[in-house]
Amino acid sequence: MRIRVRQRPRSRRTALRTGVPLTTLALAVAGCGASVTPGTTTTSLRNTVATQGTPTSGATSPTPSPTGTATAHTAPMATATSCTDQILAGMTTAQRVGQLFMGGVNAAKPDQAQLRILRDNHVGSVMLTGRSSVGTAATRKIVDGFRGQADRVGGKQVGLVVATDQEGGKVQVLNGPGFSAMPNGVTQGRKSTTMLRAEAAIWAQQLKRAGVDLNLAPVADVVPASLGTRNIPIGSFQREYGNTPGPVTSHTGAFAAGFKQSGVMTTLKHFPGLGQVIGNTDTTANVVDSVTTSTSASLDPFKSGIQAGSPFVMVSSATYNKIDAQHIAAFSPTVIGQLLRGQMGFKGVVISDDIGNAVAVRSFTPAQRALNFTSAGGDMILTVRPDVIPAMAQAIQTRMGQDASYRAKIDDSVRRILDAKHNAGLLQCS
């Protein structure tokens, strides 16, 4: 994912057009990590994995509707399992593969061809990228138009997950009327958890009014004080909640709990942590963490968020020498299968950091990236460049036709994604 970083966003109107018929859109831009050199005012940021924090006992969350509005809890027409199975059974192979992708849409330079790629490849999730200052009402109109190109199965629409990167500070894609100016992670970390949760609930309500279902936040990375701003992806932008596991755990949990209260999903990022690295995977190859182990205390924020019910975890593109020195985390069966799924018991959606444009994966073809990530146990491929999706999707479909066990793995991934959509009110089942 990529974010444009500015001292303060300026008003700007952009138009995006959808597929058939192509509807005018204006999309705001987001990123996962930080592709910015410290000291500059405009650059691109990425690196993301957000968290679903600890909910308040007895609290209930509104269920988002496909248009992004909250509705009261009612008895569902079908359970998550039966609804998911019903939709999955009716999908073509191409539709199943399309659910594995989250494609970025550039609001600054809307490209009709990019939107057509998303539609033609049945892409099931969209990330609003860049920087927008049009406000909640205008963003909602954009999103409502964009949702119309979602696939239909058995006459029912399989709703799009619309995501963005709304951490605060320099990583806030959506701005303008109706959106608060969110403080950075360091500032949020100095608030009481009660206050942060209350503020996060308001920020989530703003996203919901804008039609956004998923925030690629908060940051669960622990940046030690000894490293500080020398940690380019997180510390240099003050994205961290603290320098030790305790405050990062409590404040990522509070942030996620506030979002859950308002019916917006979150994502724990960037597993197993970018706090101990120097380089930024968006702009640097061979980023290595030689400190973190499978039992490091810096994993506590992720562990706590998973126990609280996080629906998404984003995996980084750094290499962790003391966990799996042979693969970047996003391509590592040890990181995803053994550590995240096995040791931590995560059952939700594993999403990659951007593997469409990041320098960390440039040595792999798009097809190799898609196969490596899904073979390692990943579910949703995030790419800020839609143009790489056709090659990725074709590679996955080809492998599915050759390998029954791989096909079953893909079906499991699609099921997890559809479960998340069902829980967010984005599936229509009879």
Side-chain angles (χ1 to χ4, degrees):
M1 299 180 279
R2 306 193 69 81
I3 285 186
R4 296 195 180 276
V5 178
R6 297 185 177 180
Q7 294 286 353
R8 188 43 49 192
R10 300 174 182 173
S11 295
R12 179 175 53 196
R13 296 178 63 89
T14 43
L16 264 173
R17 301 173 193 234
T18 63
V20 186
L22 296 173
T23 309
T24 301
L25 289 185
L27 286 178
V29 173
C32 284
S35 302
V36 184
T37 302
T40 60
T41 56
T42 304
T43 8
S44 60
L45 277 173
R46 263 192 29 253
N47 297 338
T48 312
V49 174
T51 157
Q52 191 74 17
T54 38
T56 297
S57 176
T60 57
S61 303
T63 301
S65 74
T67 57
T69 54
T71 57
H73 277 301
T74 57
M77 297 179 67
T79 65
T81 301
S82 63
C83 180
T84 293
D85 288 343
Q86 178 183 330
I87 296 296
L88 184 62
M91 283 182 157
T92 65
T93 296
Q95 287 177 320
R96 295 182 186 204
V97 172
Q99 291 298 309
L100 304 176
F101 291 93
M102 177 180 284
V105 185
N106 190 332
K109 296 180 180 179
D111 187 329
Q112 185 175 342
Q114 288 184 336
L115 296 169
R116 186 175 295 113
I117 289 171
L118 298 182
R119 185 198 68 229
D120 291 349
N121 287 275
H122 311 281
V123 170
S125 300
V126 176
M127 178 187 178
L128 309 184
T129 63
R131 180 76 65 156
S132 170
S133 57
V134 300
T136 55
T139 302
R140 178 58 178 271
K141 289 181 181 179
I142 292 164
V143 170
D144 283 350
F146 188 75
R147 287 189 187 279
Q149 72 177 52
D151 263 20
R152 302 185 77 84
V153 174
K156 303 290 187 179
Q157 191 172 66
V158 182
L160 295 172
V161 168
V162 178
T164 197
D165 215 3
Q166 203 85 339
E167 296 175 20
K170 292 183 177 179
V171 186
Q172 180 174 344
V173 172
L174 302 179
N175 302 272
F179 288 112
S180 299
M182 298 167 60
N184 61 35
V186 170
T187 302
Q188 290 180 38
R190 293 178 181 139
K191 298 175 181 288
S192 70
T193 54
T194 301
M195 178 177 290
L196 179 58
R197 174 174 174 155
E199 291 185 353
I202 294 171
W203 300 332
Q205 290 167 8
Q206 294 168 356
L207 286 183
K208 179 169 287 295
R209 284 196 290 270
V212 175
D213 311 297
L214 172 65
N215 190 4
L216 298 171
V219 169
D221 307 313
V222 179
V223 180
S226 59
L227 195 54
T229 57
R230 291 188 296 123
N231 172 262
I232 303 302
I234 310 298
S236 68
F237 300 103
Q238 297 187 304
R239 300 168 71 191
E240 72 275 21
Y241 284 108
N243 304 123
T244 58
V248 177
T249 299
S250 62
H251 285 70
T252 55
F255 184 100
F259 270 75
K260 185 175 183 179
Q261 176 182 325
S262 295
V264 176
M265 296 180 288
T266 52
T267 309
L268 290 163
K269 64 184 185 187
H270 312 80
F271 190 82
L274 285 175
Q276 293 283 358
V277 305
I278 298 295
N280 175 13
T281 55
D282 285 341
T283 57
T284 307
N286 304 314
V287 175
V288 175
D289 175 332
S290 298
V291 177
T292 304
T293 71
S294 61
T295 59
S296 290
S298 60
L299 296 178
D300 288 352
F302 295 102
K303 187 184 304 181
S304 178
I306 288 168
Q307 291 172 348
S310 174
F312 285 77
V313 170
M314 181 178 285
V315 180
S316 89
S317 296
T319 300
Y320 297 80
N321 280 347
K322 293 189 176 180
I323 301 176
D324 181 357
Q326 304 304 313
H327 304 90
I328 67 170
F331 299 164
S332 170
T334 301
V335 171
I336 297 176
Q338 295 182 28
L339 180 55
L340 182 54
R341 294 284 190 206
Q343 184 175 317
M344 295 199 167
F346 181 61
K347 301 184 185 304
V349 178
V350 176
I351 184 172
S352 72
D353 201 345
D354 171 42
I355 56 173
N357 197 54
V359 173
V361 295
R362 291 275 177 87
S363 62
F364 301 90
T365 66
Q368 289 171 330
R369 298 171 208 171
L371 293 176
N372 288 347
F373 176 67
T374 52
S375 295
D379 301 313
M380 185 177 287
I381 296 167
L382 173 62
T383 172
V384 299
R385 288 181 50 192
D387 62 296
V388 302
I389 291 176
M392 289 179 165
Q394 184 57 57
I396 292 172
Q397 288 192 55
T398 299
R399 178 68 61 84
M400 289 174 70
Q402 298 169 342
D403 186 338
S405 63
Y406 178 78
R407 184 180 183 91
K409 184 188 292 283
I410 294 301
D411 282 349
D412 286 343
S413 289
V414 176
R415 187 175 286 105
R416 282 188 283 266
I417 292 166
L418 293 178
D419 279 346
K421 289 188 173 188
H422 180 274
N423 292 335
L426 296 170
L427 289 190
Q428 300 175 21
C429 294
S430 59

